[in-house]
Amino acid sequence: MLYSLYEAGFYAATPLRAAALATRNFWSSPLNPLRESQGARRIYANADLFVNLTRRYGRPDWGIDEVTIDGQPVRVTEETTWSSPWAKLTHFSRDKGDMRLAGRRELEPAVLLVAPLSGHYATLLRGTVRTFLQDHEVYVTEWSNARNVPMLEGRFDFHDFIDHIRDMLRALGPRPHVVAVCQPGPPTLAAAALMAEDGEDSRPASMTFMGSPIDARLSPTVTNRLAEDKPFAWFESNVIHTVPAPYPGLGRRVYPGFVQLAAFMSMNLERHREAHRNYLQHLMRGDGDSADQHLAFYDEYLSVLDLTEEFYLQTIDKVFQRYLLPKGELEHHGRLVRPELIKDVGLLTVEGENDDISGIGQTQAAHALCSGLPDELKEDYVQPTVGHYGVFNGKRFREEIYPRVRGFIRRTQPTFDKQRRTA
């Protein structure tokens, strides 16, 4: 019912949104002689804010057509190298000719960036991808919006997520590197453990976990306490809703993206209010650069997707309530997941000192679980002063965190791959 009401509210606001759009265009038109007056700017700013607060935000574009490598521009194209109804594996392919001009003639390590399936699109990692492209062949998991997947495609749960990670690693070939950002940490570690136990050629050469709830019992945050304090039945009854028409996933039970977005924003509600007040002031003063920065952030932040009921509820149950992986009780298709059997996969954990989503120690817990790894294949790093987002994006990530990740990947690159590089 809530989903249908949400949709009805959107369509009911269409006339008001159209009127606000017309008002915005009229008062910003270069043909309007009053457009630079204070009154015109005020009217324009309020109309623009209303339009942006009530419009639909679809999946953003990656917008990565080029990166600079050693001072040389290198063209980049997106390629889908593997797909299922629930995800696609996007390869950011760098132009080989441009790479040679940049002095890069070696075969560079392949990295699988596992994006979170927690409400936002994979494009949230745009800055992460740009940074990794300087030194790696980059592949990113792009998860489907559950409301767009027809019921005929069946279910997608926590264990399907693990299977997808395994299939994507296999698609990359022998010994790729995997970097899991936030939520995917536990299922990615489970996938690596199963592949290591089976001796698969495509088991990771290294795995990096960034701000991940490997053991959510440690340094609990507001997010963790919400999952702990509410009984499992509360989540079943209060946050799961049915996809209405006209979406292809009509009838599917989901955790809607707009519910997750409301939860995200409520955590820092005053900060979001202040940001929109500042945006209004920027528009009225004609400060276009500051207004554009605001729009760029919220175009991404307000773009959300739905999660299937089974995936969301199993994640709450297995990761945030029963803590099955750190307790050694997680089973995958009836088989116990045993991280202690990982023997030759590098392990790097990265945390932010001020992370309010995954507290200090939650990601580090992977080291105790992977007890079979020698010390030389383990590394831990805590970045001072950054929060959750700063662990994988922004200036501190580019200048302080990424060089450590890059160095760790280079150290753990399999010997056979180093030997087959061409000069």
Side-chain angles (χ1 to χ4, degrees):
M1 177 62 74
L2 179 63
Y3 212 135
S4 296
L5 290 174
Y6 173 78
E7 291 294 309
F10 171 78
Y11 289 112
T14 298
L16 294 174
R17 191 163 45 251
L21 183 60
T23 300
R24 184 185 72 176
N25 292 341
F26 174 78
W27 288 106
S28 62
S29 171
L31 300 178
N32 189 332
L34 299 177
R35 66 189 295 260
E36 295 298 334
S37 67
Q38 185 62 37
R41 286 181 177 177
R42 186 177 296 275
I43 296 172
Y44 163 77
N46 281 277
D48 183 81
L49 182 62
F50 182 84
V51 169
N52 284 316
L53 288 176
T54 61
R55 72 179 177 89
R56 273 279 158 77
Y57 288 81
R59 175 195 171 278
D61 292 329
W62 283 101
I64 303 177
D65 301 319
E66 182 181 281
V67 294
T68 301
I69 299 177
D70 297 337
Q72 173 69 34
V74 175
R75 287 166 291 179
V76 178
T77 56
E78 296 176 37
E79 302 172 347
T80 299
T81 58
W82 181 93
S83 66
S84 80
W86 295 103
K88 68 176 181 178
L89 183 59
T90 299
H91 176 208
F92 289 88
S93 179
R94 300 168 298 178
D95 184 84
K96 291 181 173 58
D98 290 348
M99 289 294 289
R100 285 193 291 270
L101 290 174
R104 301 295 183 91
R105 299 177 181 275
E106 294 183 341
L107 184 67
E108 300 195 308
V111 173
L112 172 63
L113 283 176
V114 185
L117 179 52
S118 56
H120 283 104
Y121 288 91
T123 51
L124 192 68
L125 303 184
R126 185 180 294 103
T128 320
V129 171
R130 282 188 176 277
T131 303
F132 270 90
L133 277 172
Q134 297 174 69
D135 304 285
H136 301 282
E137 287 296 315
V138 179
Y139 298 78
V140 182
T141 63
E142 293 204 64
W143 306 104
S144 301
N145 191 335
R147 74 183 183 190
N148 293 329
V149 182
M151 291 285 287
L152 290 175
E153 299 295 348
R155 292 162 49 90
F156 181 84
D157 62 16
F158 185 84
H159 299 285
D160 292 317
F161 193 104
I162 294 174
D163 289 336
H164 271 61
I165 298 303
R166 297 183 71 179
D167 288 340
M168 290 176 181
L169 287 169
R170 291 166 183 150
L172 267 60
R175 309 307 304 272
H177 301 266
V178 62
V179 177
V181 178
C182 189
Q183 168 269 321
T188 300
L189 178 55
L194 294 166
M195 297 178 80
E197 183 177 0
D198 293 342
E200 291 194 40
D201 291 339
S202 294
R203 67 189 184 279
S206 75
M207 48 189 178
T208 299
F209 300 109
M210 312 182 78
S212 294
I214 302 296
D215 189 345
R217 295 172 297 181
L218 306 175
S219 303
T221 62
V222 172
T223 304
N224 302 138
R225 292 192 182 96
L226 173 63
E228 291 175 347
D229 295 344
K230 301 289 186 182
F232 184 76
W234 183 90
F235 291 95
E236 288 182 295
S237 303
N238 290 276
V239 301
I240 303 299
H241 303 279
T242 303
V243 176
Y247 297 108
L250 172 66
R252 184 178 294 282
R253 297 281 287 170
V254 299
Y255 176 51
F258 65 84
V259 173
Q260 176 74 313
L261 181 61
F264 282 148
M265 298 193 74
S266 67
M267 294 175 63
N268 297 284
L269 189 57
E270 187 52 42
R271 187 171 69 185
H272 291 295
R273 287 174 177 166
E274 183 65 23
H276 283 84
R277 283 194 292 266
N278 290 338
Y279 173 65
L280 199 62
Q281 293 298 320
H282 294 322
L283 288 179
M284 289 190 288
R285 291 198 303 265
D287 184 356
D289 290 341
S290 297
D292 288 344
Q293 291 175 10
H294 172 95
L295 287 178
F297 174 79
Y298 278 98
D299 281 351
E300 193 76 54
Y301 189 80
L302 298 178
S303 300
V304 290
L305 51 76
D306 298 349
L307 283 60
T308 65
E309 172 187 33
E310 54 273 16
F311 174 78
Y312 175 75
L313 291 179
Q314 287 180 12
T315 300
I316 291 292
D317 175 50
K318 297 175 185 293
V319 177
F320 294 104
Q321 290 194 341
R322 290 198 289 154
Y323 317 105
L324 296 184
L325 180 62
K327 290 166 66 176
E329 299 173 3
L330 179 64
E331 292 187 358
H332 179 66
H333 301 320
R335 176 182 174 187
L336 190 65
V337 175
R338 304 175 65 188
E340 68 273 15
L341 297 183
I342 300 176
K343 304 293 185 183
D344 61 351
V345 179
L347 171 62
L348 170 62
T349 55
V350 180
E351 297 181 317
E353 181 184 25
N354 301 327
D355 195 330
D356 60 352
I357 302 295
S358 297
I360 293 290
Q362 293 188 17
T363 311
Q364 295 172 356
H367 291 277
L369 296 179
C370 298
S371 56
L373 283 175
D375 290 341
E376 60 266 24
L377 287 180
K378 292 182 178 181
E379 187 173 322
D380 173 61
Y381 178 66
V382 177
Q383 175 64 46
T385 73
V386 304
H388 187 71
Y389 191 73
V391 169
F392 59 89
N393 219 328
K395 182 178 179 180
R396 293 293 180 87
F397 168 74
R398 293 191 302 271
E399 297 181 358
E400 300 180 42
I401 296 175
Y402 172 70
R404 292 175 179 271
V405 178
R406 177 184 58 203
F408 186 78
I409 289 175
R410 293 290 181 176
R411 288 196 299 277
T412 55
Q413 182 72 358
T415 302
F416 75 87
D417 194 49
K418 293 176 181 176
Q419 292 173 343
R420 68 188 178 99
R421 292 181 181 182
T422 58

